[in-house]
Amino acid sequence: MISLIPNAIHFLLTTFILNSPQPPEPSPSQLGLQFQLRHVHGVSNDSRILFSDIPPQSLTPSQLDQYTYTVKTRTIHTHRPSSFSAFTQARSRSRSVSSSPSELWSPPIPVPGPNTSDRETLLTLAKMTNNAYYSDPSSSNWYDLGPDWNVSYTYGWEPDSDGFRGHVFVSQDTKTVVLSIKGTSVPWIGGGPTMKKDKLNDNLLFSCCCARVGPTWSTVCGCYGGGGKCDEGCVEKALAEDSLFYPIGTNLYNNLSYMYPESNIWVIGHSLGGSLASLIGQTFGTPVVAFEAPAEKMASRRLHLPSAPSSDHITHVFNTADPIPMGTCTGVTSTCANAGYAMESRCHVGKLIRYDTVGKKGWSSNVRNHPIDVVINNLLNEDWEKEDLDKGVEGLGRGVPEPVDEEEDCDAQECMTWTYENETV
Ligand SMILES: *[C@@H]1O[C@H](CO)[C@@H](O)[C@H](O)[C@H]1NC(C)=O
Ligand SMILES: *[C@@H]1O[C@H](CO)[C@@H](O)[C@H](O)[C@H]1NC(C)=O
Ligand SMILES: *[C@@H]1O[C@H](CO)[C@@H](O)[C@H](O)[C@H]1NC(C)=O
Ligand SMILES: *[C@@H]1O[C@H](CO)[C@@H](O)[C@H](O)[C@H]1NC(C)=O
């Protein structure tokens, strides 16, 4: 796909639009939302964002069919910050006082979110996070921003947006907007131009101390104090200054909510994209589904994101044979370390839908179980506990594992071998 993008474009977003009739108002949970390709968005190399419409009649019926997605909704309750600037203020205040003012958050607000107990809905969201990889050559011109696609909006973006990619899906009634963020481009899944920046962000966000895995590692920040000691204040400062993706994400969200002020925005993503989706969801109180995402609780703490009274609006979906969300792709001899990644964090924010592929399917832990196509083709392709479901006994078997909370002793097990001190305040 990358080669299809003109030089001047290095950030690509696609917008899909709802194709279903008006939902029956009182029963949003039964509603099936359908999405199809409608706009292409991108950011030019001089940091302007570009939006272009694709006329629906330019798509063949089979293209329409292939790119039509259905999701079911359920009502979820979420707390929203009184404003983004109030959130940002609370964030900078909490650099000195570590508390989140209770008046920052609204009382719980009911909003339609994705029904994460519905396998087809998860499957659809997983496909949305990965639509581009599944494009066949005949659909490739959707991404070719040739002379037909002229700029219709321009507004400012960080010059470093070349690592942050995604799709935006919008329902026809514009009530639901789904922001889907792509994950890390890693060497074992094809690489790509965003690899370098992705890696820097991964190592900043998910390593215990600046990705100092071993003495020979070149670190991403200078906070290692020798003898297993790490300067926590220094790591936080590095994250605030160099972690470019979080501010790009909040910027994108702000711009989307400006464009669709009356809409519910959902944020979804795979891998690094899933972690970023969660950080954005924690910031705006918006529903999130993250697939196979490295654990982001440590990053969220280091970024001083004020925490809402509940984070149940965030759902992580991953399998136990993927060492990246499990936080087990660690140590100098691991695949991650060999590729230069320090994916050491273990604790997630929100609810976990954990597919025990190790225990129930005999998979062994391997980064090959990380890509989104494993989720699509091997995890969500059929009901979980299908054999039990087939018996038809009430209460036996589930199509999707039950959402659970992160383990209580998780924090204590994260980065256990490190001692954190606070020298830089
Ligand atoms: C970026 O834009 C400038 C001028 O618009 C152009 O000269 C340059 O080749 C572009 N760079 C890339 C990588 O497309
Ligand atoms: C969510 O989906 C599941 C599975 O399809 C269904 O059993 C459940 O009733 C749905 N929940 C709501 C609130 O609609
Ligand atoms: C885009 O701009 C070019 C050059 O200004 C023009 O020839 C073309 O017709 C425009 N295309 C659309 C779809 O407006
Ligand atoms: C997009 O985000 C930037 C940074 O937050 C902001 O300056 C700009 O006004 C936003 N544009 C829109 C249309 O919301």
Side-chain angles (χ1 to χ4, degrees):
M1 192 191 90
I2 301 310
S3 60
L4 302 168
I5 304 171
N7 277 346
I9 309 296
H10 55 141
F11 179 96
L12 180 69
L13 292 167
T14 11
T15 300
F16 288 67
I17 195 149
L18 175 70
N19 193 26
S20 75
Q22 286 283 40
E25 241 352 291
S27 168
S29 60
Q30 299 312 314
L31 163 68
L33 300 174
Q34 292 193 325
F35 298 85
Q36 65 175 233
L37 183 62
R38 186 60 179 277
H39 311 288
V40 173
H41 298 190
V43 174
S44 69
N45 80 350
D46 55 354
S47 303
R48 292 170 310 151
I49 191 163
L50 317 175
F51 285 74
S52 307
D53 283 352
I54 291 180
Q57 59 272 24
S58 73
L59 303 174
T60 67
S62 75
Q63 285 173 327
L64 272 178
D65 194 44
Q66 190 187 347
Y67 287 89
T68 298
Y69 304 112
T70 307
V71 301
K72 280 191 189 164
T73 63
R74 69 181 166 123
T75 301
I76 63 172
H77 292 86
T78 174
H79 300 263
R80 297 250 154 99
S82 51
S83 69
F84 183 58
S85 65
F87 181 91
T88 308
Q89 275 166 26
R91 211 187 135 195
S92 46
R93 267 204 308 277
S94 78
R95 289 190 185 282
S96 35
V97 276
S98 60
S99 72
S100 156
S102 56
E103 70 274 12
L104 175 62
W105 299 101
S106 73
I109 302 168
V111 297
N115 180 352
T116 49
S117 304
D118 184 59
R119 180 177 62 86
E120 297 280 346
T121 297
L122 289 184
L123 183 59
T124 297
L125 296 179
K127 285 180 177 171
M128 280 181 176
T129 67
N130 198 40
N131 166 64
Y133 301 116
Y134 284 81
S135 304
D136 60 30
S138 74
S139 62
S140 60
N141 53 356
W142 293 356
Y143 298 100
D144 180 5
L145 304 186
D148 284 348
W149 315 122
N150 290 336
V151 176
S152 50
Y153 293 92
T154 59
Y155 43 87
W157 283 84
E158 280 81 356
D160 294 293
S161 57
D162 56 344
F164 195 101
R165 295 224 169 98
H167 304 264
V168 179
F169 301 78
V170 182
S171 65
Q172 193 164 45
D173 59 6
T174 66
K175 279 183 181 160
T176 309
V177 173
V178 182
L179 166 59
S180 155
I181 308 169
K182 259 190 216 165
T184 302
S185 298
V186 288
W188 60 81
I189 324 175
T194 66
M195 233 167 73
K196 199 170 164 208
K197 196 153 282 151
D198 289 350
K199 187 165 167 179
L200 171 67
N201 271 273
D202 280 337
N203 282 338
L204 272 173
L205 291 166
F206 311 117
S207 78
C208 294
C209 190
C210 310
R212 191 185 188 281
V213 171
T216 60
W217 276 60
S218 54
T219 52
V220 292
C221 42
C223 311
Y224 177 59
K229 292 201 187 102
C230 186
D231 183 345
E232 174 73 13
C234 169
V235 173
E236 289 174 8
K237 201 157 163 276
L239 213 58
E241 282 166 8
D242 298 332
S243 164
L244 300 159
F245 285 1
Y246 171 73
I248 292 170
T250 53
N251 192 330
L252 176 54
Y253 184 96
N254 277 327
N255 283 320
L256 280 177
S257 60
Y258 178 92
M259 289 168 66
Y260 301 100
E262 308 299 332
S263 307
N264 291 299
I265 303 180
W266 303 350
V267 192
I268 64 176
H270 168 249
S271 192
L272 169 63
S275 309
L276 291 168
S278 170
L279 297 177
I280 295 168
Q282 290 171 51
T283 303
F284 298 101
T286 197
V288 167
V289 179
F291 296 96
E292 307 290 340
E296 81 293 26
K297 190 174 174 189
M298 181 169 72
S300 133
R301 188 178 66 235
R302 287 175 169 174
L303 285 166
H304 290 257
L305 304 191
S307 53
S310 158
S311 51
D312 290 353
H313 59 291
I314 296 164
T315 304
H316 282 275
V317 179
F318 60 95
N319 81 90
T320 55
D322 177 357
I324 291 173
M326 297 296 287
T328 53
C329 197
T330 57
V332 276
T333 60
S334 66
T335 319
C336 291
N338 281 331
Y341 294 84
M343 313 293 278
E344 299 165 317
S345 58
R346 299 183 83 111
C347 310
H348 297 83
V349 176
K351 291 284 182 194
L352 314 185
I353 294 181
R354 202 194 274 123
Y355 283 79
D356 187 9
T357 49
V358 171
K360 296 226 161 113
K361 293 200 169 193
W363 295 12
S364 50
S365 179
N366 192 305
V367 290
R368 290 205 182 86
N369 298 320
H370 180 66
I372 188 69
D373 61 346
V374 172
V375 175
I376 292 168
N377 298 316
N378 304 98
L379 228 52
L380 297 171
N381 58 325
E382 62 174 24
D383 283 329
W384 190 245
E385 300 178 339
K386 185 173 185 305
E387 302 73 20
D388 288 338
L389 273 177
D390 286 346
K391 291 177 193 147
V393 180
E394 184 86 24
L396 194 63
R398 296 177 59 93
V400 169
E402 192 172 4
V404 296
D405 292 320
E406 183 58 275
E407 271 134 38
E408 266 178 38
D409 63 347
C410 187
D411 290 334
Q413 291 182 21
E414 196 170 57
C415 298
M416 276 167 72
T417 58
W418 287 92
T419 312
Y420 290 98
E421 298 181 337
N422 225 335
E423 277 146 29
T424 321
V425 181

